[in-house]
């Protein structure tokens, strides 16, 4: 039995878990990052989101299979350690933490951009500093309060997306003086064709597209605090990916059908731009509130996910033991402090390079995200290979089309890594990623492996002494 001072509480319902996963994935990638993807690929970005979403669904099914069978707070970090070895678990856990930190850097940067809609003269880093401390305070509340906050954050942005789709369809059908109904949805192919950015632009957009889906793996993290993992995890996995694909594809299709894709810039959210373009100022202001809520939701989920991963690693001796300490509310408070301090880097970056910070951060996050997904797929593949026929038959939530679906998803993720190398804007992600993995390997050999060896030797010595 775990010490009460180091035990998490199970306070997340199925409703919380579904919306936490939605909150993490439907955020900056859709409301801000999609503008960069559209500029690279044109309307063909819709196909890229469809392909990327299908691959992510396979990853989540692989994670769901393991999470239902063994719901633990360390999630895929622990699965990697168990099925691929302690070094793989160490690298997976810390790379996920790194991913969440980098994604949060992007999210808080986007928050600063959104606030510039109302306060263009206020330096962006001031808003970034304010939001970092606000989110840190939120994550020190109990997990049930966190779940409720995330639920309502996500309700706001999902409602806004649905309203945006409905309003866009109404404009396409009736015009309302802002759209020529005789054109219909021809903007999707008349402005340079569906593949307006060419095949190269279509391929290059995957770096940003996959960043948009990053964070969905938080479903596995929540298993350690879910009230009924065997029921809640499958529901979350089966519903969230389809909703994400619907929201991304339907929303961007409506936006690009109303206004030509090449007029969508990266100075603000495409959602705000479309209402500014058609002259509906108040609606643009309301949507800016929505995209700010979306950023808060995503940052909130990411801080939660990274904290729980560090907690799980600390329990396995792969992170400082102080990270296992929890508050009276059952929250690992030290991990929240670590994340808050790490996010102060965003303040510095937004002060030094405010113009290019988002693309750099998003590409680095994509590398970290894809690495984690690859480790999830490899862990599930190795776990399944080791099972007997009876154990495989008893799986409550098996991956569909195994082993072909996971292998296809692995090949696709390898393709995404290659894409990062061929784009000048994202090549830095590979450099940072390789350096990061090399540092992790060195840290493991210097600090973690000696402790593991020592813990194995001590029982053997005691046995010999007898």
């Amino acid at each position: 039995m775990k010490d009460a001072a180091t035990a998490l509480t199970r306070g997340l319902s199925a409703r919380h878990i579904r919306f936490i996963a939605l909150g993490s994935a439907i955020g900056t990638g859709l409301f801000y990052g999609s503008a960069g993807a559209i500029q690279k690929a044109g309307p063909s970005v819709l196909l890229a989101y469809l392909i990327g979403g299908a691959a992510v669904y396979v990853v989540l099914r692989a994670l769901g299979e393991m999470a239902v069978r063994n719901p633990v707070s360390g999630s895929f970090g622990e699965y990697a350690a168990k099925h691929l070895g302690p070094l793989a678990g160490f690298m997976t856990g810390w790379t996920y933490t790194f991913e969440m930190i980098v994604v949060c850097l992007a999210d808080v940067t986007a928050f600063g951009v959104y606030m510039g809609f109302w306060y263009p003269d206020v330096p962006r880093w001031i808003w970034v500093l304010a939001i970092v401390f606000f989110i840190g305070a939120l994550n020190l509340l109990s997990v049930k309060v966190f779940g409720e906050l995330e639920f309502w954050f996500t309700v706001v942005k999902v409602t806004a997306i649905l309203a945006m789709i409905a309003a866009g369809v109404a404009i396409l059908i009736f015009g309302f003086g802002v759209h020529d109904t005789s054109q219909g949805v021809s903007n999707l192919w008349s402005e340079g064709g569906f593949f307006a950015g060419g095949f190269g632009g279509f391929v290059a957009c995957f770096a940003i597209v996959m960043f948009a889906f990053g964070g969905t793996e938080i479903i596995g993290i929540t298993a350690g605090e879910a009230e009924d993992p065997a029921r809640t995890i499958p529901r979350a996995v089966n519903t969230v990916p389809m909703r994400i694909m619907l929201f991304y594809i339907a929303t961007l299709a409506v936006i690009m059908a109303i206004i030509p894709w090449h007029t969508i810039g990266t100075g603000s959210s495409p959602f705000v731009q479309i209402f500014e373009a058609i002259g509906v100022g108040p609606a643009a202001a309301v949507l800016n509130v929505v995209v700010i809520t979306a950023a808060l939701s995503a940052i909130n989920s990411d801080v939660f996910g990274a904290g729980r991963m560090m907690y799980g690693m600390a329990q396995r001796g792969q992170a400082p033991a102080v990270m296992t300490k929890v508050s009276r509310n059952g929250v690992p408070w030290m991990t929240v402090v670590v994340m808050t301090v790490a996010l102060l880097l965003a303040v510095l970056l937004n002060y030094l390079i405010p113009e290019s910070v988002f693309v750099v951060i998003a590409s680095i996050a994509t590398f970290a995200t894809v690495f984690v997904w690859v480790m999830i797929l490899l862990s599930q593949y190795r776990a399944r290979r080791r099972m007997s026929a009876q154990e495989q038959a008893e799986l409550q939530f098996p991956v569909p089309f195994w082993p072909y679906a996971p292998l296809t998803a692995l090949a696709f993720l390898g393709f995404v890594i290659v894409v990062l190398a061929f784009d000048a804007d994202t090549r830095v992600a590979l450099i940072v990623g390789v350096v990061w993995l090399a540092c992790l390997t060195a840290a493991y050999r210097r600090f973690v492996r000696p402790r593991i060896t020592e813990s194995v030797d001590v029982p053997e010595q005691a046995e010999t002494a007898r």
Side-chain angles (χ1 to χ4, degrees):
M1 184 175 179
K2 290 180 183 179
D3 189 305
T6 61
L8 299 179
T9 55
R10 290 189 179 271
L12 296 178
S13 66
R15 171 174 61 91
H16 291 146
I17 290 174
R18 284 199 298 271
F19 279 82
I20 286 171
L22 275 171
S24 185
I26 301 180
T28 304
L30 172 61
F31 289 105
Y32 182 67
S34 56
I38 290 171
Q39 286 190 340
K40 287 182 179 294
S44 65
V45 73
L46 301 176
L47 180 60
Y49 277 110
L50 182 63
I51 295 171
V56 171
Y57 177 67
V58 175
V59 173
L60 293 182
R61 284 299 300 260
L63 178 57
E65 178 180 300
M66 295 185 289
V68 169
R69 193 164 185 253
N70 182 27
V72 292
S73 58
S75 190
F76 40 85
E78 188 157 328
Y79 305 145
K82 180 178 180 180
H83 302 297
L84 302 176
L87 174 60
F90 180 78
M91 295 177 74
T92 301
W94 279 110
T95 300
Y96 175 74
T97 302
F98 177 65
E99 172 199 343
M100 289 297 96
I101 290 173
V102 176
V103 168
C104 278
L105 294 180
D107 289 333
V108 296
T109 296
F111 175 82
V113 173
Y114 300 154
M115 293 304 294
F117 177 79
W118 289 309
Y119 305 100
D121 297 327
V122 177
R124 189 189 301 170
W125 67 267
I126 292 178
W127 299 115
V128 173
L129 182 63
I131 199 61
V132 165
F133 285 113
F134 175 71
I135 292 296
L138 279 184
N139 271 267
L140 291 175
L141 302 174
S142 72
V143 69
K144 192 162 189 177
V145 173
F146 164 80
E148 281 299 316
L149 283 171
E150 194 59 29
F151 171 77
W152 289 109
F153 275 154
T154 306
V155 164
V156 169
K157 63 186 176 185
V158 168
T159 301
I161 291 172
L162 295 176
M164 162 73 201
I165 294 172
V169 170
I171 290 172
L172 289 170
I173 294 174
F174 302 108
F176 298 125
V178 295
H179 179 74
D180 186 353
T181 55
S182 65
Q183 292 180 350
V185 294
S186 61
N187 278 336
L188 292 177
W189 58 81
S190 63
E191 300 287 338
F194 185 72
F195 288 90
F199 181 72
F202 173 70
V203 169
C205 82
F206 277 99
I208 301 176
V209 166
M210 299 314 291
F211 162 74
F213 290 114
T216 50
E217 66 276 6
I218 198 174
I219 290 175
I221 300 288
T222 60
E225 292 168 90
E227 293 174 347
D228 184 5
R231 181 176 63 89
T232 57
I233 299 300
R235 285 187 178 182
V237 170
N238 283 332
T239 59
V240 170
M242 296 306 297
R243 292 179 185 179
I244 290 172
M245 283 192 281
L246 170 66
F247 292 147
Y248 273 82
I249 294 169
T251 303
L252 296 182
V254 167
I255 289 175
M256 289 186 290
I258 296 175
I259 59 176
W261 67 270
H262 57 80
T263 64
I264 298 174
T266 57
S268 63
S269 168
F271 285 70
V272 176
Q273 289 177 51
I274 188 172
F275 282 97
E276 284 185 312
I278 61 180
V280 187
V286 170
L287 272 175
N288 204 51
V289 173
V290 171
V291 295
I292 285 173
T293 303
L296 291 173
S297 170
I299 299 165
N300 205 28
S301 289
D302 296 340
V303 171
F304 170 87
R308 269 48 177 188
M309 179 59 74
M310 285 188 278
Y311 172 86
M313 287 190 295
Q315 288 186 314
R316 299 193 302 275
Q318 296 183 343
V322 70
M323 292 186 181
T324 63
K325 300 295 184 182
V326 300
S327 67
R328 287 181 298 177
N329 294 326
V331 174
W333 60 271
M334 181 54 74
T335 64
V336 176
V337 172
V338 171
M339 284 294 293
T340 302
V341 172
L343 287 179
L344 293 178
L345 176 62
V347 180
L348 179 63
L349 290 175
N350 277 276
Y351 177 76
L352 297 175
I353 50 171
E355 300 305 319
S356 57
V357 62
F358 185 84
V359 173
V360 172
I361 289 174
S363 59
I364 294 173
T366 299
F367 175 88
T369 299
V370 170
F371 177 84
V372 169
W373 290 343
V374 166
M375 299 306 282
I376 289 172
L377 290 170
L378 290 176
S379 299
Q380 185 275 334
Y381 187 85
R382 177 66 67 85
R384 181 73 78 90
R385 284 294 189 191
R386 290 175 171 175
M387 292 182 195
S388 65
Q390 181 178 351
E391 287 175 324
Q392 293 190 38
E394 291 174 352
L395 286 172
Q396 296 179 306
F397 192 51
V399 174
F401 306 111
W402 193 87
Y404 306 108
L407 291 176
T408 301
L410 274 170
F412 171 74
L413 294 178
F415 155 77
V416 174
I417 292 294
V418 173
V419 168
L420 291 176
F422 283 91
D423 192 306
D425 290 335
T426 59
R427 197 171 297 133
V428 65
L430 281 185
I431 299 172
V432 173
V434 170
V435 171
W436 168 256
L437 295 179
C439 290
L440 284 181
T441 302
Y444 174 83
R445 290 176 176 172
R446 173 65 180 84
F447 301 108
V448 180
R449 189 166 64 179
R451 287 206 303 266
I452 294 176
T453 304
E454 183 180 330
S455 65
V456 171
D457 288 344
V458 169
E460 290 180 353
Q461 293 170 4
E463 186 66 29
T464 303
R466 291 180 184 178

